[in-house]
Amino acid sequence: MAVSSYARVLPSFECRSDPDFSGNPRTEKSESGRYSGKANSVPIRGWAGVGFGSFGLSSLIFRFPPNFVRQLSIKARRNCSNIGVAQIVAASWSDNPSGVPAATAVDAASVEISVDQTAVVDGGSCNSNGVQFSGLADLKASFLSSDGSIAVHAGERLGRGIVTDAITTPVVNTSAYFFKKTAELIDFKEGRHASFEYGRYGNPTTVVAEEKISALEGAESTLLMASGMCASTVMLLALVPAGGHIVTTTDCYRKTRVFIETVLPKMGIKATVIDPADMDALRSALDKNKVTLFFTESPTNPFLRCVDIELVSKLCHSKGALVCIDGTFATPLNQKALALGADIVLHSATKFIAGHNDVLAGCISGSLKVLSPVRTMHHIMGGALNPNAAYLIIRGMKTLHLRVQQQNSTALRMAEILEAHPKVIHVHYPGLPSHPEHHIAKRQMSGFGGVVSFEVDGDLMTTAKFIDALKIPYIAPSFGGCESIVDQPAIMSYWDLNQSERAKFGIKDNLVRFSFGVEDFKDLKADILQALETI
């Protein structure tokens, strides 16, 4: 929605492609037909971020030579990180609401552009007073019925803060946002004008990615941060008061455990650690302590244990405790934690959400009320996501449903094959009936994920020999990307501990965590089977 329609008459300028252009404006067409002296009006509506004063005068006048407009439009589509004149012109020739034929526009020497400025904050449009409309993300995706379509179009299709004719969302590389006058700054401070103000507080490109995730999770709001650990630590610091108490589970990402065990106690925060399936232990912890938050992964890392999110939420809410589920292994497609009763769902967007092993990011989604203190803490801590990383997440999410479908299928089929193999002792995968929480996973998940953990028949070095014999996967510490990745947790994540210390966390020397990419199932199957034959 347009906040105001205004423009200022600027001195006209002309552009030529030849290097000897002196800069002197020409008002008449040369014999070569290089310039035209006539102007055609092509208004642009709703372009956000025009840096001109609100003087209420007629228009902006730009003069361009033939072909320059067409070339500029093409360049603007290819590289929309330059949010300036190129974007104004590119958008004008594609939308062309005045009905001027494209050929006429290209031949014009001067173009009259009428500019509307749109103020946007957190992905919402603003009314005439600059106040953000709420619930815009839901409206944008309301006509889509499947997660696959939502992942492609949410946050973009029906309008985004950056108005452009480009199909892809532009990258807005800026560290700050300006105010035209002090009065506008005061309006912003008093809530009458919308702006991001500073890059740490938000970015138009990042907002598109956040809206896309919110649409998939069914959340009112999403916060993207610089990494999954950043999201976890900021969330815990914001929601658990000094001297508070949290409940977490035994199986979890090691760095999360380190933060809970070493950093939170400095603020007097205590933690009760329970088995993911031990609801009696949860009831006891809730009865004996004033618990602020229950925080766990589901499925967990690396044993893929599953928590009954609906039951946990009912128990915690009855005692006034919040529930946060780290759904990184599940993805928003396989599991809807908020719909099951959780207050917050957290992801390492580095993994399946971005999906290409090329970006670090974390996100938390939930209601505006619950996320408000987290947002405040995030602005203080400063773990802002780079807009280029936000663009990679947007791009990656457009194929999220295709990738997850392939990874779900491959992982389940390989888990069944591995479980039957004589050189594999045990397989950890929620899609198998042998998994301790298979009944829970069947009830609350639509797919079981692309990661399978298993124990081979051998010691540390035998397991390493198996991994080294694999030809397709990379040996790396991440998961969820297009490329398959394998690691031996005893070495990759716990090598600083001795064998007995690793055993306290259930980490055996023969444990393998295999993240299946989008390679063909037959190739992955053949590779794993040939590697098992080497041990």
Side-chain angles (χ1 to χ4, degrees):
M1 300 294 292
V3 174
S4 61
S5 180
Y6 58 86
R8 178 171 59 161
V9 176
L10 297 178
S12 62
F13 68 92
E14 295 178 332
C15 301
R16 282 180 55 182
S17 58
D18 46 314
D20 61 348
F21 179 51
S22 64
N24 297 321
R26 301 184 182 184
T27 58
E28 296 181 359
K29 183 176 181 180
S30 67
E31 293 180 1
S32 64
R34 190 179 296 244
Y35 300 101
S36 166
K38 302 293 183 180
N40 291 285
S41 297
V42 183
I44 290 180
R45 296 164 295 176
W47 181 70
V50 180
F52 305 107
S54 178
F55 293 92
L57 300 179
S58 61
S59 63
L60 303 174
I61 305 297
F62 299 103
R63 297 181 183 276
F64 303 100
N67 296 325
F68 176 77
V69 170
R70 176 179 57 81
Q71 294 168 3
L72 190 58
S73 179
I74 293 171
K75 289 180 180 179
R77 297 179 193 205
R78 291 177 178 171
N79 181 12
C80 288
S81 61
N82 181 14
I83 309 298
V85 176
Q87 194 167 340
I88 301 176
V89 176
S92 71
W93 267 268
S94 70
D95 198 12
N96 198 4
S98 66
V100 179
T104 305
V106 169
D107 292 337
S110 64
V111 180
E112 183 175 336
I113 302 176
S114 175
V115 180
D116 285 349
Q117 179 164 349
T118 301
V120 177
V121 162
D122 290 343
S125 293
C126 304
N127 62 17
S128 58
N129 295 321
V131 180
Q132 180 187 355
F133 283 119
S134 61
L136 188 60
D138 293 335
L139 289 174
K140 290 179 180 179
S142 62
F143 67 102
L144 302 173
S145 60
S146 69
D147 283 344
S149 299
I150 289 172
V152 174
H153 293 296
E156 299 179 279
R157 184 74 186 193
L158 295 185
R160 51 196 165 207
I162 317 156
V163 178
T164 171
D165 64 341
I167 292 174
T168 56
T169 293
V171 181
V172 182
N173 282 314
T174 186
S175 59
Y177 305 83
F178 71 89
F179 299 88
K180 294 185 294 296
K181 289 184 176 297
T182 301
E184 185 176 85
L185 173 60
I186 294 173
D187 284 344
F188 166 74
K189 293 295 183 180
E190 295 183 356
R192 294 184 297 273
H193 173 76
S195 174
F196 290 103
E197 182 185 10
Y198 188 57
R200 197 170 74 245
Y201 306 149
N203 177 278
T205 308
T206 304
V207 162
V208 172
E210 290 173 338
E211 285 190 2
K212 200 177 286 291
I213 295 169
S214 290
L216 282 177
E217 291 288 7
E220 285 185 339
S221 183
T222 292
L223 275 173
L224 269 167
M225 302 185 200
S227 70
M229 274 305 299
C230 180
S232 298
T233 55
V234 169
M235 182 273 300
L236 288 167
L237 290 172
L239 296 181
V240 184
H245 198 103
I246 68 171
V247 177
T248 188
T249 54
T250 51
D251 189 30
C252 68
Y253 178 54
R254 189 185 177 194
K255 290 299 188 294
T256 304
R257 180 187 294 114
V258 169
F259 182 80
I260 291 172
E261 292 178 346
T262 63
V263 178
L264 293 185
K266 295 178 181 179
M267 295 179 290
I269 298 174
K270 298 180 180 179
T272 297
V273 183
I274 65 172
D275 184 89
D278 195 345
M279 293 298 98
D280 288 336
L282 175 59
R283 291 185 181 92
S284 177
L286 291 169
D287 289 338
K288 295 178 181 178
N289 307 281
K290 187 177 180 181
V291 176
T292 305
L293 178 73
F294 175 85
F295 176 49
T296 187
E297 302 162 10
S298 187
T300 61
N301 183 16
F303 295 111
L304 304 164
R305 299 289 301 278
C306 295
V307 171
D308 189 333
I309 300 173
E310 186 174 7
L311 177 56
V312 163
S313 299
K314 289 179 179 178
L315 293 174
C316 290
H317 292 163
S318 68
K319 296 292 184 176
L322 296 172
V323 174
C324 177
I325 301 296
D326 183 332
T328 301
F329 276 82
T331 79
L333 300 187
N334 287 331
Q335 180 175 275
K336 307 289 187 184
L338 298 180
L340 291 167
D343 301 287
I344 299 171
V345 59
L346 182 148
H347 293 277
S348 171
T350 305
K351 311 305 192 295
F352 290 101
I353 287 179
H356 288 75
N357 292 317
D358 59 3
V359 63
L360 288 175
C363 64
I364 58 173
S365 302
S367 68
L368 289 168
K369 180 180 179 181
V370 172
L371 259 58
S372 179
V374 184
R375 188 181 300 276
T376 300
M377 180 65 72
H378 169 51
H379 292 170
I380 294 170
M381 300 298 289
L385 184 70
N386 185 284
N388 295 281
Y391 173 83
L392 292 175
I393 293 171
I394 294 167
R395 185 204 63 179
M397 288 186 68
K398 292 180 189 296
T399 59
L400 177 61
H401 63 297
L402 301 174
R403 291 185 282 105
V404 169
Q405 287 172 12
Q406 175 76 0
Q407 290 162 320
N408 283 346
S409 174
T410 299
L412 179 58
R413 294 166 72 183
M414 280 309 309
E416 293 170 344
I417 291 171
L418 289 167
E419 190 171 47
H421 200 283
K423 294 186 179 180
V424 175
I425 298 175
H426 189 73
V427 178
H428 306 272
Y429 188 68
L432 296 176
S434 59
H435 189 277
E437 285 85 48
H438 176 64
H439 62 291
I440 295 175
K442 282 177 61 180
R443 185 172 67 248
Q444 67 186 23
M445 299 180 74
S446 58
F448 303 111
V451 178
V452 177
S453 294
F454 55 96
E455 299 158 26
V456 301
D457 187 6
D459 57 11
L460 183 79
M461 297 315 297
T462 301
T463 306
K465 183 179 179 181
F466 159 72
I467 289 176
D468 290 344
L470 292 165
K471 295 180 174 62
I472 293 177
Y474 292 91
I475 302 173
S478 192
F479 60 90
C482 291
E483 300 87 356
S484 289
I485 286 178
V486 66
D487 79 85
Q488 192 172 353
I491 298 176
M492 183 67 72
S493 302
Y494 291 85
W495 193 240
D496 58 315
L497 304 180
N498 60 42
Q499 189 179 45
S500 61
E501 289 172 331
R502 294 195 294 266
K504 293 178 182 178
F505 301 106
I507 305 299
K508 300 180 180 179
D509 289 346
N510 62 346
L511 179 66
V512 175
R513 190 184 69 178
F514 201 115
S515 171
F516 290 96
V518 297
E519 302 95 345
D520 187 81
F521 167 75
K522 292 180 181 178
D523 291 332
L524 288 166
K525 175 184 175 182
D527 190 29
I528 292 174
L529 292 180
Q530 68 81 22
L532 285 170
E533 290 303 313
T534 65
I535 61 175

